[in-house]
Amino acid sequence: MLYYPQSECLVRFPSPESLKHRIIISTKPPKEYLESSVKGKRTRFSNGKNSSEEEEEEEEAASGNPENTAGMESDDRSDSDLDYEEDKNSGHTPPPQYRELITIHAGKPKGGLKETLQPTTNNVRRLSLSEQELERAATNNGLDLVRFTQENILRVYPKGTRITSSNYKPIIGWMHGAQMIAFNMQGYGKSLWLMHGMFRANGGCGYLKKPDFLMHKGPDVFDPKRALSVIKTLKVKVYLGDGWRLDFSHTHFDAYSPPDFYTKLYIVGVPADAAKKKTKIICDNWVPAWNEEFTFPLTVPELALLRIEIREYDMSEKDDFGGQTCLPVPELRPGIRSVPLHDRKGERFNNTRLLMKFEFV
């Protein structure tokens, strides 16, 4: 069932209860998209410059004044936008009722970024920022960014130069309240592991409720860069690991001897909580027993992720990958746990796992 407002646009974002079993449409209204498309074509054919010169000017503008970067949203075109452009070129225009079905209007921001992020009472908006624009906004207008996401939708997408399908750090968007973090899901790596870890919460259903402090309004709005006091301390003990001999060939790590495993532990979250620990190396053993405990003080545990990575030490070359997982700290249950490990793509190994203990102080 489709949800759409009876007025020109949505004034206040609907509650989760009112959106049960419903969908909403968010895209550019047809008229605005047509005007921006025509304007772009006129600029391209009237300035007498070739495409490479235009691209250089756009890159210079993107790296210059951060207040002017919000208007450079050239990649923010949804499938419906492209469909409308094709219909317009073929002489077919969508019916006027189509505009009324758009619940949240999206479009290029007008004016500077700080002005765009200011709250309005007119309508709910959807703003799209590239990863570079998000980083500049987080650095220069972090509090405005948090306030904006309390009433509006923020979408972040990878920069166009990531031709290898690599990804950016999603935690920057999450700790500023961004609701939509567009990712290259085929781009395996540490950033995608964080994405998998975040959405293991809430039963892995794909929906996470934003922490209450990101919705708190007033002068003391949440600031990810502000130093806060420690709320709780996470103690992690790594006992041992097993299963590699069943999931890997006996010559996968070393041709003539058993592997030399060690464990790396990371806390990913707000800057004050970032931490990195490492166990000792257990040489020549398929069932390494570390029996080491680590302590992680946390100021914002609601946004913290525990990333675990197993490496096999290699004296002459790069250390071999032996498995990884990422766990949302709020979902950790105290006690001794068997933690399954995953491969680079995020697929769970059949047998490889760690025996660990979690404790909150």
Side-chain angles (χ1 to χ4, degrees):
M1 182 181 297
L2 179 66
Y3 176 93
Y4 66 96
Q6 301 299 323
S7 59
E8 175 71 11
C9 56
L10 191 66
V11 176
R12 182 178 294 274
F13 199 83
S15 66
E17 184 68 26
S18 64
L19 290 177
K20 274 187 176 180
H21 311 296
R22 291 182 171 185
I23 62 171
I24 59 177
I25 297 176
S26 174
T27 186
K28 293 179 181 179
K31 182 179 179 181
E32 280 79 351
Y33 177 75
L34 178 61
E35 290 176 351
S36 63
S37 177
V38 172
K39 182 178 179 181
K41 291 178 180 178
R42 287 176 179 172
T43 302
R44 179 169 294 275
F45 289 106
S46 64
N47 59 12
K49 299 178 181 177
N50 56 40
S51 58
S52 61
E53 290 175 339
E54 291 177 358
E55 291 174 358
E56 290 178 0
E57 288 187 356
E58 290 177 356
E59 291 178 357
E60 291 177 359
S63 61
N65 187 354
E67 293 295 319
N68 297 328
T69 59
M72 299 188 59
E73 197 181 338
S74 59
D75 291 338
D76 184 26
R77 295 202 296 174
S78 63
D79 293 338
S80 59
D81 294 334
L82 299 175
D83 292 340
Y84 177 75
E85 185 178 25
E86 293 174 358
D87 291 340
K88 194 65 179 177
N89 293 336
S90 62
H92 297 89
T93 57
Q97 293 83 359
Y98 169 67
R99 182 186 180 91
E100 299 177 3
L101 299 179
I102 301 175
T103 305
I104 302 176
H105 290 188
K108 296 181 179 180
K110 299 177 181 179
L113 181 59
K114 184 175 180 61
E115 178 184 347
T116 302
L117 294 175
Q118 295 306 309
T120 63
T121 57
N122 298 330
N123 60 284
V124 176
R125 295 171 292 158
R126 194 197 82 193
L127 175 65
S128 291
L129 299 177
S130 68
E131 58 176 289
Q132 306 105 308
E133 292 169 337
L134 174 67
E135 290 177 1
R136 286 191 286 267
T139 301
N140 302 311
N141 309 100
L143 297 183
D144 294 330
L145 204 59
V146 174
R147 292 190 184 97
F148 179 87
T149 58
Q150 292 176 347
E151 299 288 348
N152 303 278
I153 300 295
L154 176 61
R155 167 180 169 262
V156 186
Y157 57 91
K159 59 185 179 182
T161 56
R162 292 188 179 273
I163 58 176
T164 59
S165 295
S166 60
N167 282 302
Y168 54 99
K169 297 178 181 178
I171 191 66
I172 300 176
W174 289 332
M175 63 184 171
H176 286 89
Q179 295 90 347
M180 302 171 67
I181 307 292
F183 244 48
N184 294 316
M185 298 305 292
Q186 73 278 20
Y188 309 122
K190 297 177 183 178
S191 295
L192 189 61
W193 301 346
L194 297 178
M195 182 68 72
H196 290 162
M198 175 63 77
F199 286 96
R200 286 193 177 103
N202 198 16
C205 68
Y207 169 80
L208 300 179
K209 183 177 180 295
K210 186 184 294 188
D212 292 337
F213 59 80
L214 281 173
M215 297 299 295
H216 180 72
K217 301 177 182 179
D220 55 343
V221 65
F222 175 72
D223 183 1
K225 295 180 293 185
R226 184 175 58 196
L228 302 173
S229 58
V230 174
I231 295 180
K232 63 174 62 175
T233 298
L234 170 65
K235 288 186 177 181
V236 179
K237 187 166 185 178
V238 186
Y239 289 107
L240 57 86
D242 195 7
W244 289 281
R245 54 188 170 178
L246 300 176
D247 292 328
F248 296 85
S249 69
H250 283 196
T251 58
H252 179 84
F253 298 105
D254 286 313
Y256 305 105
S257 64
D260 309 324
F261 286 124
Y262 64 92
T263 301
K264 300 172 73 175
L265 300 128
Y266 302 83
I267 290 293
V268 181
V270 298
D273 292 344
K276 176 181 176 181
K277 306 285 186 179
K278 185 173 71 172
T279 67
K280 60 180 177 290
I281 300 172
I282 302 297
C283 297
D284 300 332
N285 201 322
W286 283 100
V287 188
W290 295 283
N291 292 314
E292 293 188 49
E293 186 175 72
F294 304 96
T295 301
F296 300 100
L298 302 173
T299 61
V300 189
E302 296 87 346
L303 293 176
L305 296 170
L306 173 64
R307 189 170 75 80
I308 305 168
E309 187 174 353
I310 307 299
R311 289 282 175 177
E312 196 275 333
Y313 176 73
D314 195 318
M315 183 180 299
S316 58
E317 299 179 0
K318 184 179 179 180
D319 293 351
D320 295 320
F321 173 81
Q324 60 84 23
T325 191
C326 187
L327 306 170
V329 170
E331 299 284 321
L332 294 178
R333 291 186 298 168
I336 298 176
R337 307 294 174 187
S338 176
V339 179
L341 297 180
H342 303 74
D343 62 14
R344 293 181 184 274
K345 298 181 180 181
E347 300 293 333
R348 180 185 293 189
F349 290 124
N350 294 327
N351 305 283
T352 305
R353 56 192 60 234
L354 297 177
L355 186 64
M356 307 181 69
K357 179 182 178 181
F358 303 112
E359 181 182 359
F360 290 101
V361 180

